[in-house]
Amino acid sequence: MAQWGLGRPDTARELAALADAGINYSPTEVRRPAWTLDTHLHGLPAERPGPPEPGGPWERACRVVRDYEFTPPESVRALYDPAVPLLGRNMLLQLRFHGLHLYCGVRITEVVDETRDDGARVWGWAYETLDGHLERGKVTYEVVKYRDTGRVEFVAASHSQRAPDLDPVLTLGWSLFGRRAQLRFYRRCGVRIRDSVTADSEGRAGPMPPATPPRAWGLVWVPSDAGARFAHSPEIHCVTPGG
């Protein structure tokens, strides 16, 4: 059941509670037109043809993706335990819409680390939505280097659907703003990771620092450039908005 309140909820407790949550959909359900299927490609600084260069754009982009530092802080922030291995890690997402903050859980269910038949070197991971999430579905984030040309890309692919048990207020909000918010999120992810990789290659301070993100009680809030997280304006929040 959706839990509404004022101020920040106990986010450490909510993250811990995700251990008992299940994936809130079945892949057998995914088909158009009931589901939205997206693939967003964002070009990154290129390398020379061949395998990824040590310390080059592909490796730097992988680091940013690994830590989920590319998420736009005005839209989505995330809390996780860095001591938990990437595969199987739960993250508590804070979805932000002006003064309304929605807290939803996701779990990393896949790590991609391969060289494909065409020679492309790929690294990334995917999360799936947990019980109580605003949406149902999966997002895969990958960094790809094409060995033949040196081209490097960030790819975000997803299938998604509004959770069926949203209350009337959130259902209306999703109808009015949901798709636009999705598309803006993917655009901003591409801009942020490209800016970070470019700034890093030029020795400038990028939009997200390479240092370890700030921690609270052993947990990590990302992205690191979001500013203070425990001294902020009052919020209206909803935990497990998907019921």
Side-chain angles (χ1 to χ4, degrees), residues 89-166:
R89 176 183 294 169
N90 294 325
M91 296 196 298
L92 181 68
L93 304 186
Q94 182 196 65
L95 312 180
R96 303 167 65 89
F97 183 74
H98 299 293
L100 174 62
H101 297 170
L102 308 176
Y103 290 87
C104 306
V106 297
R107 180 171 298 138
I108 297 176
T109 56
E110 181 181 2
V111 174
V112 181
D113 188 358
E114 64 184 14
T115 299
R116 295 179 177 161
D117 291 343
D118 63 358
R121 182 70 175 91
V122 185
W123 189 89
W125 51 265
Y127 66 59
E128 294 182 271
T129 52
L130 299 178
D131 295 329
H133 199 289
L134 180 72
E135 298 180 66
R136 306 167 75 214
K138 178 179 181 179
V139 185
T140 303
Y141 300 111
E142 296 177 339
V143 185
V144 183
K145 178 177 181 182
Y146 298 91
R147 292 177 179 231
D148 55 344
T149 64
R151 188 169 85 254
V152 180
E153 288 181 341
F154 170 64
V155 182
S158 67
H159 53 258
S160 64
Q161 181 190 71
R162 175 181 64 82
D165 297 325
L166 297 185

Side-chain angles (χ1 to χ4, degrees), residues 13-24:
R13 182 186 65 189
E14 297 300 336
L15 175 64
L18 297 180
D20 297 323
I23 305 298
N24 67 352

Side-chain angles (χ1 to χ4, degrees), residues 6 10 24 35 57 62 80 86 97 105 112 118 122 152 163 176 182 185 189 207 212 230 233-234 239-240:
L6 295 174
D10 186 338
N24 67 352
W35 289 71
C62 287
Y80 64 83
L86 186 61
F97 183 74
V112 181
D118 63 358
V122 185
V152 180
L176 295 175
Q182 281 183 325
F185 171 78
C189 286
T212 301
F230 302 98
S233 58
V239 178
T240 59

